[in-house]
Amino acid sequence: MTDAPMTAQAASTATAGDILSRQLTAQAGAFLRALPLAVGEVGARPGSAAAVPAAGTADLLRAVRRIGGLLHSFGAVFEQTWAQESRTELRWLLNLLALEPGYVRRSARLLGALDSLSGSDPEGTGMLAGHAGAPKARALLDRQLTLARTRAHSTVLQELRSARLHALADRMTLLVGEAPLLEAAGGRASAVLLPQAAAAFTAMSASAQQLPLQRAATPYGGDGLRRLGAVPTARGATDADTALAADDAPWSRLRILVKRARYALEVCGRPSSELDELDAVLGRHQEAADAAVTAATAARTPRITPATAYVLGVVHADQRLEVEAARYAFGRRWPDLPLGLDGWLEIPPAEGWGHSPAPRTA
Amino acid sequence: MTDAPMTAQAASTATAGDILSRQLTAQAGAFLRALPLAVGEVGARPGSAAAVPAAGTADLLRAVRRIGGLLHSFGAVFEQTWAQESRTELRWLLNLLALEPGYVRRSARLLGALDSLSGSDPEGTGMLAGHAGAPKARALLDRQLTLARTRAHSTVLQELRSARLHALADRMTLLVGEAPLLEAAGGRASAVLLPQAAAAFTAMSASAQQLPLQRAATPYGGDGLRRLGAVPTARGATDADTALAADDAPWSRLRILVKRARYALEVCGRPSSELDELDAVLGRHQEAADAAVTAATAARTPRITPATAYVLGVVHADQRLEVEAARYAFGRRWPDLPLGLDGWLEIPPAEGWGHSPAPRTA
C-alpha cells in the first residue's frame, strides 16, 4: 500500500522530510484528482443507493485518511498550527463523505439481517420466518434509513460547493511538493520516523491491552447482550443506551488507533496485512454497533405494532451478537501481533527501508 | 454410577440375566423407596417453587430413567410385551414428574435471562438495562409460567393418586428379584450385553453424525438465529415455529440416544463422564429451545405493549443464542469421543467387567 515506493538505495540516505514529502505529494495528488470525480458522483445520484462509495469518492476517502493519519503520527516534524488545521479540515471532509455511504451500508446490513432472520430458504430459514412483524419492521427500517440518507445526501451536496472545501483543495494544492516541515525533518528517516511510528503502535497496543480481550476470545460469553462494560459512575445513568455506548467506545477508539498505526507503518514502507485485518474486524464491530442502535431507535417509534417491535428486538439482539462476534474475531487475532515493533521496524534501513518487505511469517 | 457394583471375580462368571436382575432389583428398590417421598413432596408444596426437584422426586426420576433405559437397550432378553408395557408406564410417570420442575426451571431460566439482560450491575449491564418493557415482560412471563406450573401441579397431584400409578408400583414390586427374562439372558454377560450396549452407542453415533457438527463447532455462525435446518418439504410450512421445531428435533432425539447409551454403559459397569457431559450439554440445549418457544409465545399475547414485545424479541434471540452455544459446546466435545465402543467395552470381563473402571485418558 506504499504509494511512493523507493529503491532501497535511494531510501537508505533519505531524510524523514524526503519520505514524508514524497508521501504527501502522492496523496495530495490523489486527493486533487479524485475530488472532482467525487463531487460529480455525489451530484449524479440523487436517489440511487450504492453500498460501496463510487470510485472517485473511495479514492478521495483513501487519500484523506492517509494524509490525516500521516499528519497525526508524524506531527512532530510539521509546523504545528498548519498540521492541526489541516487535520481538522480533513476530518470534516472525511465525516462528510462517509455519511451517505454509511447509511447505505447500514441499510444493507439491517435489511440483510432482517431478510436472513425472516428468510425461509431451505439453507437458511431464520427464526422470524413467516412472522407478521417482519415485513412491517423492514418497511419501517427502510423508511427511516432512506430518510436519513436523503438528508445526508443534501448536506453533502451543499457542502461540496462550500468555500470550506475550496479552501481545503487549495491547501492540498500547496502541499504538493511543499509540505511545511520543521528542521527536525532533516534527520535520517530511520532516526526520525521510526520512533513516531513506534509511538502509534504503542498507543494501539496500550489501548487494546485495556480491553477484556481474554473474555472476548471466549465464544458465546454473552458480552454482546448481557455483560456490557461498566458505565463510569460519574455519568450516573444506567440505561442501556449509555451502557452500550460506553461499552463500544473503547473499541471505536481502538479502531482509530489501529488505522493510525496502519498508516504509519505504510509510510515507513511496512504495510501490515495483520493490521489491515484488525482494521476490517473493528470496522465490522463499528457497523454492527451502529446498526444495533438504529434498530433500538426504530423500536421506539410511536404507534408501531407489538409484532414490529418484537422483530426489531430480535434484530437488535442479532446485531449485538455480530458485535460480540467481531470482538471474538479480534480477541483471536490480536495475540498474533507482536507486542512491540520489533521485527517490523528494526530492520536496518539499507536492507528493508522504504520498499515492501518480505512477508512476515511470525 | 453403577448401583450394584460387583467384584471382578463374581462378575467374570455372571450371566447377562444376573447382571440385569441385580440392576433392576436395585433400581426398582430405589423406585419403591422414593415413591412415597415424592408423593409427599408434591403434596407438601402447593405453591412453592423449587428449580431442582426435591430429594424423593429426584431419586424417583433417576430410578425411572434407568429402568426405562435398561428395558430399552437390553430389551432383547426380556419378555417383549411386559418390557414394552413397562416402558410405556415408566415414560408416562417420567413425563408427569418432569412437568412441574420443568416449568420451574424454565421460569428460572427466562426470568434470570431477563434480569441479566436488563441488569445494571457494573459487572454485567445488559442491553435492556432500564428499558421500560423489561418489568412488563418479566411480569408477563412470570404470570404465564406460574399459571402453567400450577396447572401442572394439579395434574401431578391427581395422577399420583391414580390407579395407574398404583399399578406401576405393583409392577416395580414384582420386578425386585423377578425380572421376566428370556432364555437368552442365560448367556455370559459379555456375549449378551456388550452387543446391545454397542448398538445403543452406534445409534447415538449415527444420529450425531447426521447433525451439522462441523458448522456447530464454528462460533457465531448464526445457526441459532439465522440458519435453521430445512423443514421437510412434505410439511410445507415455512413459518418460524415449524422451522425451529424441525431444527431442534434431531438434537432432542440425540439427547435421548445419549441418555440410552449412557445408561447402557452404566449397566455394563462403564460409566462415562464424557457421556454425562454430553447429556448435560444437550439438556441445556433442550431447555434453551423450550424457553425460546415460551418467549415467542408470550410475545403473541394480545394487547401487550410494543416495549414488552420488543423485550421478548430480545429474550427469544438470547435463548436461541444459548441454543447455538450448546450446539457449539457439543460440536467441540463430540470429536473427543471414540467413534466406536473400542476401548470402552472391549476389555476382557475378568479384568474390568462390572466394576468402575480406571479413568480413561484417551
Side-chain angles (χ1 to χ4, degrees), chain A residues 113 116 124-125 127 129 220 225-226 228 240 306 309-310 316 318 321 324, chain B residues 113 116 124-125 127 129 220 225-226 228 240 243 306 309-310 316 318 321 324:
Chain A
S116 175
T125 305
M127 61 174 277
Y220 302 108
L225 276 59
R226 295 186 178 202
L228 307 175
Y310 172 79
H316 187 185
D318 176 72
L321 179 61
E324 188 172 357
Chain B
S116 175
T125 305
M127 61 175 276
Y220 302 108
L225 276 61
R226 295 187 177 201
L228 307 174
Y310 172 79
H316 187 185
D318 176 72
L321 178 61
E324 188 172 358

PDB file of all heavy atoms in Angstrom, chain A residues 113 116 124-125 127 129 220 225-226 228 240 306 309-310 316 318 321 324, chain B residues 113 116 124-125 127 129 220 225-226 228 240 243 306 309-310 316 318 321 324:
ATOM      1  N   ALA A 113     -29.929  -8.411   7.398  1.00  0.00           N
ATOM      2  CA  ALA A 113     -30.119  -9.197   8.619  1.00  0.00           C
ATOM      3  C   ALA A 113     -31.577  -9.612   8.751  1.00  0.00           C
ATOM      4  O   ALA A 113     -31.891 -10.765   9.053  1.00  0.00           O
ATOM      5  CB  ALA A 113     -29.681  -8.389   9.837  1.00  0.00           C
ATOM      6  N   SER A 116     -32.418 -12.236   6.311  1.00  0.00           N
ATOM      7  CA  SER A 116     -31.829 -13.503   6.720  1.00  0.00           C
ATOM      8  C   SER A 116     -32.612 -14.113   7.883  1.00  0.00           C
ATOM      9  O   SER A 116     -32.910 -15.302   7.904  1.00  0.00           O
ATOM     10  CB  SER A 116     -30.372 -13.258   7.097  1.00  0.00           C
ATOM     11  OG  SER A 116     -29.796 -14.412   7.606  1.00  0.00           O
ATOM     12  N   GLY A 124     -31.270 -21.665   4.895  1.00  0.00           N
ATOM     13  CA  GLY A 124     -31.082 -20.699   5.970  1.00  0.00           C
ATOM     14  C   GLY A 124     -32.382 -20.114   6.468  1.00  0.00           C
ATOM     15  O   GLY A 124     -32.582 -18.898   6.451  1.00  0.00           O
ATOM     16  N   THR A 125     -33.286 -20.989   6.908  1.00  0.00           N
ATOM     17  CA  THR A 125     -34.520 -20.488   7.491  1.00  0.00           C
ATOM     18  C   THR A 125     -34.190 -19.732   8.762  1.00  0.00           C
ATOM     19  O   THR A 125     -33.405 -20.196   9.581  1.00  0.00           O
ATOM     20  CB  THR A 125     -35.453 -21.670   7.810  1.00  0.00           C
ATOM     21  OG1 THR A 125     -35.645 -22.419   6.622  1.00  0.00           O
ATOM     22  CG2 THR A 125     -36.782 -21.180   8.327  1.00  0.00           C
ATOM     23  N   MET A 127     -35.211 -17.463  12.372  1.00  0.00           N
ATOM     24  CA  MET A 127     -36.131 -17.632  13.495  1.00  0.00           C
ATOM     25  C   MET A 127     -37.344 -16.710  13.381  1.00  0.00           C
ATOM     26  O   MET A 127     -38.265 -16.794  14.194  1.00  0.00           O
ATOM     27  CB  MET A 127     -35.409 -17.412  14.828  1.00  0.00           C
ATOM     28  CG  MET A 127     -34.824 -16.043  15.010  1.00  0.00           C
ATOM     29  SD  MET A 127     -34.125 -15.800  16.676  1.00  0.00           S
ATOM     30  CE  MET A 127     -35.593 -15.357  17.602  1.00  0.00           C
ATOM     31  N   ALA A 129     -38.969 -16.455  10.336  1.00  0.00           N
ATOM     32  CA  ALA A 129     -39.611 -16.834   9.074  1.00  0.00           C
ATOM     33  C   ALA A 129     -41.130 -16.768   9.206  1.00  0.00           C
ATOM     34  O   ALA A 129     -41.700 -17.318  10.142  1.00  0.00           O
ATOM     35  CB  ALA A 129     -39.177 -18.245   8.671  1.00  0.00           C
ATOM     36  N   TYR A 220     -19.532 -16.969  22.817  1.00  0.00           N
ATOM     37  CA  TYR A 220     -20.831 -17.054  23.486  1.00  0.00           C
ATOM     38  C   TYR A 220     -20.770 -16.651  24.952  1.00  0.00           C
ATOM     39  O   TYR A 220     -21.484 -17.207  25.781  1.00  0.00           O
ATOM     40  CB  TYR A 220     -21.424 -18.460  23.372  1.00  0.00           C
ATOM     41  CG  TYR A 220     -21.604 -18.909  21.951  1.00  0.00           C
ATOM     42  CD1 TYR A 220     -20.784 -19.877  21.400  1.00  0.00           C
ATOM     43  CD2 TYR A 220     -22.574 -18.326  21.154  1.00  0.00           C
ATOM     44  CE1 TYR A 220     -20.938 -20.281  20.086  1.00  0.00           C
ATOM     45  CE2 TYR A 220     -22.726 -18.719  19.842  1.00  0.00           C
ATOM     46  CZ  TYR A 220     -21.912 -19.699  19.320  1.00  0.00           C
ATOM     47  OH  TYR A 220     -22.064 -20.094  18.033  1.00  0.00           O
ATOM     48  N   LEU A 225     -24.744  -9.090  24.623  1.00  0.00           N
ATOM     49  CA  LEU A 225     -26.120  -8.918  25.074  1.00  0.00           C
ATOM     50  C   LEU A 225     -26.218  -8.638  26.576  1.00  0.00           C
ATOM     51  O   LEU A 225     -27.039  -7.841  27.004  1.00  0.00           O
ATOM     52  CB  LEU A 225     -26.940 -10.174  24.772  1.00  0.00           C
ATOM     53  CG  LEU A 225     -27.542 -10.340  23.370  1.00  0.00           C
ATOM     54  CD1 LEU A 225     -26.498 -10.336  22.292  1.00  0.00           C
ATOM     55  CD2 LEU A 225     -28.379 -11.608  23.287  1.00  0.00           C
ATOM     56  N   ARG A 226     -25.383  -9.333  27.354  1.00  0.00           N
ATOM     57  CA  ARG A 226     -25.619  -9.350  28.794  1.00  0.00           C
ATOM     58  C   ARG A 226     -24.556  -8.693  29.641  1.00  0.00           C
ATOM     59  O   ARG A 226     -24.827  -8.329  30.782  1.00  0.00           O
ATOM     60  CB  ARG A 226     -25.712 -10.805  29.269  1.00  0.00           C
ATOM     61  CG  ARG A 226     -26.883 -11.560  28.720  1.00  0.00           C
ATOM     62  CD  ARG A 226     -26.922 -12.915  29.389  1.00  0.00           C
ATOM     63  NE  ARG A 226     -28.065 -13.697  28.949  1.00  0.00           N
ATOM     64  CZ  ARG A 226     -28.570 -14.706  29.645  1.00  0.00           C
ATOM     65  NH1 ARG A 226     -28.006 -15.050  30.785  1.00  0.00           N
ATOM     66  NH2 ARG A 226     -29.603 -15.364  29.207  1.00  0.00           N
ATOM     67  N   LEU A 228     -22.250  -5.937  29.284  1.00  0.00           N
ATOM     68  CA  LEU A 228     -21.630  -4.724  28.780  1.00  0.00           C
ATOM     69  C   LEU A 228     -20.725  -4.154  29.856  1.00  0.00           C
ATOM     70  O   LEU A 228     -20.913  -4.399  31.042  1.00  0.00           O
ATOM     71  CB  LEU A 228     -22.712  -3.704  28.414  1.00  0.00           C
ATOM     72  CG  LEU A 228     -23.788  -4.263  27.472  1.00  0.00           C
ATOM     73  CD1 LEU A 228     -24.878  -3.229  27.261  1.00  0.00           C
ATOM     74  CD2 LEU A 228     -23.174  -4.661  26.151  1.00  0.00           C
ATOM     75  N   ALA A 240     -29.693   1.403  29.034  1.00  0.00           N
ATOM     76  CA  ALA A 240     -28.974   0.546  28.088  1.00  0.00           C
ATOM     77  C   ALA A 240     -28.222   1.356  27.038  1.00  0.00           C
ATOM     78  O   ALA A 240     -27.114   0.989  26.659  1.00  0.00           O
ATOM     79  CB  ALA A 240     -29.964  -0.405  27.418  1.00  0.00           C
ATOM     80  N   PRO A 306     -46.987  -4.373  18.258  1.00  0.00           N
ATOM     81  CA  PRO A 306     -46.116  -5.246  19.067  1.00  0.00           C
ATOM     82  C   PRO A 306     -45.305  -6.205  18.190  1.00  0.00           C
ATOM     83  O   PRO A 306     -44.135  -6.467  18.486  1.00  0.00           O
ATOM     84  CB  PRO A 306     -47.107  -5.995  19.958  1.00  0.00           C
ATOM     85  CG  PRO A 306     -48.284  -5.099  20.061  1.00  0.00           C
ATOM     86  CD  PRO A 306     -48.375  -4.385  18.736  1.00  0.00           C
ATOM     87  N   ALA A 309     -42.315  -4.402  16.892  1.00  0.00           N
ATOM     88  CA  ALA A 309     -41.352  -4.170  17.979  1.00  0.00           C
ATOM     89  C   ALA A 309     -40.609  -5.462  18.324  1.00  0.00           C
ATOM     90  O   ALA A 309     -39.395  -5.456  18.559  1.00  0.00           O
ATOM     91  CB  ALA A 309     -42.073  -3.630  19.211  1.00  0.00           C
ATOM     92  N   TYR A 310     -41.356  -6.564  18.335  1.00  0.00           N
ATOM     93  CA  TYR A 310     -40.750  -7.866  18.638  1.00  0.00           C
ATOM     94  C   TYR A 310     -39.646  -8.193  17.631  1.00  0.00           C
ATOM     95  O   TYR A 310     -38.528  -8.580  18.007  1.00  0.00           O
ATOM     96  CB  TYR A 310     -41.853  -8.928  18.595  1.00  0.00           C
ATOM     97  CG  TYR A 310     -41.375 -10.345  18.699  1.00  0.00           C
ATOM     98  CD1 TYR A 310     -41.031 -10.890  19.924  1.00  0.00           C
ATOM     99  CD2 TYR A 310     -41.277 -11.138  17.562  1.00  0.00           C
ATOM    100  CE1 TYR A 310     -40.592 -12.192  20.018  1.00  0.00           C
ATOM    101  CE2 TYR A 310     -40.846 -12.438  17.645  1.00  0.00           C
ATOM    102  CZ  TYR A 310     -40.506 -12.968  18.866  1.00  0.00           C
ATOM    103  OH  TYR A 310     -40.072 -14.254  18.958  1.00  0.00           O
ATOM    104  N   HIS A 316     -32.138  -6.247  16.910  1.00  0.00           N
ATOM    105  CA  HIS A 316     -31.189  -5.586  17.810  1.00  0.00           C
ATOM    106  C   HIS A 316     -30.240  -6.621  18.431  1.00  0.00           C
ATOM    107  O   HIS A 316     -29.022  -6.465  18.412  1.00  0.00           O
ATOM    108  CB  HIS A 316     -31.957  -4.828  18.895  1.00  0.00           C
ATOM    109  CG  HIS A 316     -31.085  -3.975  19.774  1.00  0.00           C
ATOM    110  ND1 HIS A 316     -31.561  -3.304  20.871  1.00  0.00           N
ATOM    111  CD2 HIS A 316     -29.762  -3.690  19.716  1.00  0.00           C
ATOM    112  CE1 HIS A 316     -30.567  -2.653  21.445  1.00  0.00           C
ATOM    113  NE2 HIS A 316     -29.467  -2.862  20.773  1.00  0.00           N
ATOM    114  N   ASP A 318     -29.569  -9.548  17.344  1.00  0.00           N
ATOM    115  CA  ASP A 318     -28.755 -10.130  16.269  1.00  0.00           C
ATOM    116  C   ASP A 318     -27.535  -9.248  15.989  1.00  0.00           C
ATOM    117  O   ASP A 318     -26.419  -9.754  15.832  1.00  0.00           O
ATOM    118  CB  ASP A 318     -29.623 -10.260  15.012  1.00  0.00           C
ATOM    119  CG  ASP A 318     -28.844 -10.760  13.810  1.00  0.00           C
ATOM    120  OD1 ASP A 318     -28.502 -11.951  13.811  1.00  0.00           O
ATOM    121  OD2 ASP A 318     -28.580  -9.964  12.898  1.00  0.00           O
ATOM    122  N   LEU A 321     -25.088  -9.482  18.680  1.00  0.00           N
ATOM    123  CA  LEU A 321     -24.372 -10.745  18.518  1.00  0.00           C
ATOM    124  C   LEU A 321     -23.236 -10.578  17.512  1.00  0.00           C
ATOM    125  O   LEU A 321     -22.137 -11.131  17.681  1.00  0.00           O
ATOM    126  CB  LEU A 321     -25.369 -11.814  18.056  1.00  0.00           C
ATOM    127  CG  LEU A 321     -24.822 -13.213  17.803  1.00  0.00           C
ATOM    128  CD1 LEU A 321     -24.221 -13.795  19.061  1.00  0.00           C
ATOM    129  CD2 LEU A 321     -25.944 -14.121  17.298  1.00  0.00           C
ATOM    130  N   GLU A 324     -20.467  -8.970  19.240  1.00  0.00           N
ATOM    131  CA  GLU A 324     -19.721  -9.957  20.024  1.00  0.00           C
ATOM    132  C   GLU A 324     -18.847 -10.819  19.118  1.00  0.00           C
ATOM    133  O   GLU A 324     -17.703 -11.141  19.463  1.00  0.00           O
ATOM    134  CB  GLU A 324     -20.701 -10.828  20.821  1.00  0.00           C
ATOM    135  CG  GLU A 324     -19.983 -11.735  21.808  1.00  0.00           C
ATOM    136  CD  GLU A 324     -20.930 -12.472  22.750  1.00  0.00           C
ATOM    137  OE1 GLU A 324     -22.148 -12.244  22.676  1.00  0.00           O
ATOM    138  OE2 GLU A 324     -20.436 -13.260  23.555  1.00  0.00           O
TER     139      GLU A 324
ATOM    140  N   ALA B 113     -32.615 -14.782  32.618  1.00  0.00           N
ATOM    141  CA  ALA B 113     -32.107 -14.161  31.385  1.00  0.00           C
ATOM    142  C   ALA B 113     -32.570 -12.711  31.308  1.00  0.00           C
ATOM    143  O   ALA B 113     -31.794 -11.810  31.007  1.00  0.00           O
ATOM    144  CB  ALA B 113     -32.607 -14.943  30.173  1.00  0.00           C
ATOM    145  N   SER B 116     -30.725 -10.626  33.721  1.00  0.00           N
ATOM    146  CA  SER B 116     -29.360 -10.411  33.263  1.00  0.00           C
ATOM    147  C   SER B 116     -29.334  -9.395  32.121  1.00  0.00           C
ATOM    148  O   SER B 116     -28.498  -8.487  32.096  1.00  0.00           O
ATOM    149  CB  SER B 116     -28.789 -11.756  32.819  1.00  0.00           C
ATOM    150  OG  SER B 116     -27.526 -11.600  32.257  1.00  0.00           O
ATOM    151  N   GLY B 124     -22.143  -6.463  34.854  1.00  0.00           N
ATOM    152  CA  GLY B 124     -22.885  -7.107  33.790  1.00  0.00           C
ATOM    153  C   GLY B 124     -24.119  -6.333  33.364  1.00  0.00           C
ATOM    154  O   GLY B 124     -25.232  -6.852  33.403  1.00  0.00           O
ATOM    155  N   THR B 125     -23.903  -5.091  32.950  1.00  0.00           N
ATOM    156  CA  THR B 125     -25.018  -4.319  32.438  1.00  0.00           C
ATOM    157  C   THR B 125     -25.530  -4.980  31.164  1.00  0.00           C
ATOM    158  O   THR B 125     -24.749  -5.361  30.305  1.00  0.00           O
ATOM    159  CB  THR B 125     -24.552  -2.889  32.130  1.00  0.00           C
ATOM    160  OG1 THR B 125     -23.968  -2.349  33.306  1.00  0.00           O
ATOM    161  CG2 THR B 125     -25.718  -2.025  31.698  1.00  0.00           C
ATOM    162  N   MET B 127     -28.165  -5.278  27.675  1.00  0.00           N
ATOM    163  CA  MET B 127     -28.577  -4.383  26.597  1.00  0.00           C
ATOM    164  C   MET B 127     -30.006  -3.877  26.778  1.00  0.00           C
ATOM    165  O   MET B 127     -30.466  -3.042  26.005  1.00  0.00           O
ATOM    166  CB  MET B 127     -28.426  -5.068  25.234  1.00  0.00           C
ATOM    167  CG  MET B 127     -29.266  -6.315  25.055  1.00  0.00           C
ATOM    168  SD  MET B 127     -29.141  -6.988  23.363  1.00  0.00           S
ATOM    169  CE  MET B 127     -30.361  -5.995  22.504  1.00  0.00           C
ATOM    170  N   ALA B 129     -30.963  -2.743  29.914  1.00  0.00           N
ATOM    171  CA  ALA B 129     -30.941  -2.026  31.195  1.00  0.00           C
ATOM    172  C   ALA B 129     -31.826  -0.790  31.124  1.00  0.00           C
ATOM    173  O   ALA B 129     -31.721   0.009  30.203  1.00  0.00           O
ATOM    174  CB  ALA B 129     -29.503  -1.627  31.539  1.00  0.00           C
ATOM    175  N   TYR B 220     -20.499 -18.382  16.513  1.00  0.00           N
ATOM    176  CA  TYR B 220     -21.174 -17.231  15.901  1.00  0.00           C
ATOM    177  C   TYR B 220     -21.549 -17.462  14.440  1.00  0.00           C
ATOM    178  O   TYR B 220     -21.512 -16.545  13.634  1.00  0.00           O
ATOM    179  CB  TYR B 220     -20.305 -15.966  16.010  1.00  0.00           C
ATOM    180  CG  TYR B 220     -19.964 -15.619  17.424  1.00  0.00           C
ATOM    181  CD1 TYR B 220     -18.683 -15.796  17.921  1.00  0.00           C
ATOM    182  CD2 TYR B 220     -20.948 -15.138  18.284  1.00  0.00           C
ATOM    183  CE1 TYR B 220     -18.375 -15.489  19.229  1.00  0.00           C
ATOM    184  CE2 TYR B 220     -20.649 -14.821  19.592  1.00  0.00           C
ATOM    185  CZ  TYR B 220     -19.358 -15.008  20.057  1.00  0.00           C
ATOM    186  OH  TYR B 220     -19.061 -14.702  21.358  1.00  0.00           O
ATOM    187  N   LEU B 225     -30.026 -18.315  15.154  1.00  0.00           N
ATOM    188  CA  LEU B 225     -30.936 -17.239  14.767  1.00  0.00           C
ATOM    189  C   LEU B 225     -31.295 -17.271  13.283  1.00  0.00           C
ATOM    190  O   LEU B 225     -32.426 -17.004  12.912  1.00  0.00           O
ATOM    191  CB  LEU B 225     -30.312 -15.872  15.078  1.00  0.00           C
ATOM    192  CG  LEU B 225     -30.450 -15.310  16.487  1.00  0.00           C
ATOM    193  CD1 LEU B 225     -29.819 -16.196  17.528  1.00  0.00           C
ATOM    194  CD2 LEU B 225     -29.846 -13.917  16.576  1.00  0.00           C
ATOM    195  N   ARG B 226     -30.297 -17.587  12.458  1.00  0.00           N
ATOM    196  CA  ARG B 226     -30.470 -17.339  11.030  1.00  0.00           C
ATOM    197  C   ARG B 226     -30.472 -18.568  10.146  1.00  0.00           C
ATOM    198  O   ARG B 226     -30.975 -18.512   9.031  1.00  0.00           O
ATOM    199  CB  ARG B 226     -29.324 -16.454  10.530  1.00  0.00           C
ATOM    200  CG  ARG B 226     -29.304 -15.077  11.109  1.00  0.00           C
ATOM    201  CD  ARG B 226     -28.231 -14.285  10.406  1.00  0.00           C
ATOM    202  NE  ARG B 226     -28.181 -12.907  10.869  1.00  0.00           N
ATOM    203  CZ  ARG B 226     -27.643 -11.924  10.160  1.00  0.00           C
ATOM    204  NH1 ARG B 226     -27.129 -12.176   8.989  1.00  0.00           N
ATOM    205  NH2 ARG B 226     -27.619 -10.695  10.627  1.00  0.00           N
ATOM    206  N   LEU B 228     -31.518 -21.996  10.469  1.00  0.00           N
ATOM    207  CA  LEU B 228     -32.166 -23.195  10.975  1.00  0.00           C
ATOM    208  C   LEU B 228     -32.200 -24.235   9.871  1.00  0.00           C
ATOM    209  O   LEU B 228     -32.160 -23.907   8.687  1.00  0.00           O
ATOM    210  CB  LEU B 228     -33.585 -22.851  11.420  1.00  0.00           C
ATOM    211  CG  LEU B 228     -33.657 -21.669  12.395  1.00  0.00           C
ATOM    212  CD1 LEU B 228     -35.101 -21.308  12.678  1.00  0.00           C
ATOM    213  CD2 LEU B 228     -32.927 -22.011  13.683  1.00  0.00           C
ATOM    214  N   ALA B 240     -41.702 -19.802  11.255  1.00  0.00           N
ATOM    215  CA  ALA B 240     -40.549 -19.946  12.139  1.00  0.00           C
ATOM    216  C   ALA B 240     -40.766 -21.052  13.176  1.00  0.00           C
ATOM    217  O   ALA B 240     -39.837 -21.790  13.494  1.00  0.00           O
ATOM    218  CB  ALA B 240     -40.274 -18.619  12.825  1.00  0.00           C
ATOM    219  N   ALA B 243     -40.010 -24.264  11.587  1.00  0.00           N
ATOM    220  CA  ALA B 243     -38.580 -24.349  11.277  1.00  0.00           C
ATOM    221  C   ALA B 243     -37.764 -24.579  12.540  1.00  0.00           C
ATOM    222  O   ALA B 243     -36.840 -25.395  12.554  1.00  0.00           O
ATOM    223  CB  ALA B 243     -38.129 -23.071  10.578  1.00  0.00           C
ATOM    224  N   PRO B 306     -45.803  -2.456  22.680  1.00  0.00           N
ATOM    225  CA  PRO B 306     -44.642  -2.688  21.810  1.00  0.00           C
ATOM    226  C   PRO B 306     -43.355  -2.863  22.617  1.00  0.00           C
ATOM    227  O   PRO B 306     -42.511  -3.691  22.261  1.00  0.00           O
ATOM    228  CB  PRO B 306     -44.598  -1.422  20.948  1.00  0.00           C
ATOM    229  CG  PRO B 306     -45.990  -0.913  20.930  1.00  0.00           C
ATOM    230  CD  PRO B 306     -46.572  -1.269  22.264  1.00  0.00           C
ATOM    231  N   ALA B 309     -43.179  -6.379  23.824  1.00  0.00           N
ATOM    232  CA  ALA B 309     -42.897  -7.280  22.699  1.00  0.00           C
ATOM    233  C   ALA B 309     -41.432  -7.184  22.288  1.00  0.00           C
ATOM    234  O   ALA B 309     -40.789  -8.201  21.998  1.00  0.00           O
ATOM    235  CB  ALA B 309     -43.805  -6.932  21.525  1.00  0.00           C
ATOM    236  N   TYR B 310     -40.905  -5.964  22.276  1.00  0.00           N
ATOM    237  CA  TYR B 310     -39.502  -5.744  21.909  1.00  0.00           C
ATOM    238  C   TYR B 310     -38.582  -6.524  22.853  1.00  0.00           C
ATOM    239  O   TYR B 310     -37.672  -7.240  22.420  1.00  0.00           O
ATOM    240  CB  TYR B 310     -39.217  -4.246  21.972  1.00  0.00           C
ATOM    241  CG  TYR B 310     -37.779  -3.872  21.815  1.00  0.00           C
ATOM    242  CD1 TYR B 310     -37.190  -3.834  20.561  1.00  0.00           C
ATOM    243  CD2 TYR B 310     -36.996  -3.548  22.925  1.00  0.00           C
ATOM    244  CE1 TYR B 310     -35.865  -3.486  20.412  1.00  0.00           C
ATOM    245  CE2 TYR B 310     -35.673  -3.196  22.794  1.00  0.00           C
ATOM    246  CZ  TYR B 310     -35.107  -3.169  21.531  1.00  0.00           C
ATOM    247  OH  TYR B 310     -33.792  -2.824  21.395  1.00  0.00           O
ATOM    248  N   HIS B 316     -36.083 -13.875  23.267  1.00  0.00           N
ATOM    249  CA  HIS B 316     -36.163 -15.006  22.341  1.00  0.00           C
ATOM    250  C   HIS B 316     -34.807 -15.216  21.646  1.00  0.00           C
ATOM    251  O   HIS B 316     -34.276 -16.325  21.609  1.00  0.00           O
ATOM    252  CB  HIS B 316     -37.267 -14.750  21.303  1.00  0.00           C
ATOM    253  CG  HIS B 316     -37.543 -15.922  20.418  1.00  0.00           C
ATOM    254  ND1 HIS B 316     -38.414 -15.874  19.369  1.00  0.00           N
ATOM    255  CD2 HIS B 316     -37.061 -17.187  20.423  1.00  0.00           C
ATOM    256  CE1 HIS B 316     -38.449 -17.054  18.760  1.00  0.00           C
ATOM    257  NE2 HIS B 316     -37.643 -17.863  19.382  1.00  0.00           N
ATOM    258  N   ASP B 318     -31.939 -14.207  22.632  1.00  0.00           N
ATOM    259  CA  ASP B 318     -30.955 -14.594  23.654  1.00  0.00           C
ATOM    260  C   ASP B 318     -31.003 -16.106  23.892  1.00  0.00           C
ATOM    261  O   ASP B 318     -29.970 -16.767  23.989  1.00  0.00           O
ATOM    262  CB  ASP B 318     -31.265 -13.831  24.941  1.00  0.00           C
ATOM    263  CG  ASP B 318     -30.351 -14.240  26.092  1.00  0.00           C
ATOM    264  OD1 ASP B 318     -29.164 -13.877  26.044  1.00  0.00           O
ATOM    265  OD2 ASP B 318     -30.829 -14.924  27.017  1.00  0.00           O
ATOM    266  N   LEU B 321     -29.616 -17.956  21.086  1.00  0.00           N
ATOM    267  CA  LEU B 321     -28.157 -17.862  21.180  1.00  0.00           C
ATOM    268  C   LEU B 321     -27.626 -18.935  22.136  1.00  0.00           C
ATOM    269  O   LEU B 321     -26.579 -19.547  21.895  1.00  0.00           O
ATOM    270  CB  LEU B 321     -27.777 -16.461  21.663  1.00  0.00           C
ATOM    271  CG  LEU B 321     -26.297 -16.164  21.864  1.00  0.00           C
ATOM    272  CD1 LEU B 321     -25.534 -16.315  20.561  1.00  0.00           C
ATOM    273  CD2 LEU B 321     -26.120 -14.750  22.403  1.00  0.00           C
ATOM    274  N   GLU B 324     -27.523 -22.084  20.325  1.00  0.00           N
ATOM    275  CA  GLU B 324     -26.333 -22.148  19.477  1.00  0.00           C
ATOM    276  C   GLU B 324     -25.089 -22.434  20.318  1.00  0.00           C
ATOM    277  O   GLU B 324     -24.218 -23.207  19.904  1.00  0.00           O
ATOM    278  CB  GLU B 324     -26.174 -20.835  18.713  1.00  0.00           C
ATOM    279  CG  GLU B 324     -25.066 -20.905  17.668  1.00  0.00           C
ATOM    280  CD  GLU B 324     -25.017 -19.682  16.754  1.00  0.00           C
ATOM    281  OE1 GLU B 324     -25.859 -18.788  16.889  1.00  0.00           O
ATOM    282  OE2 GLU B 324     -24.109 -19.642  15.911  1.00  0.00           O
TER     283      GLU B 324
END
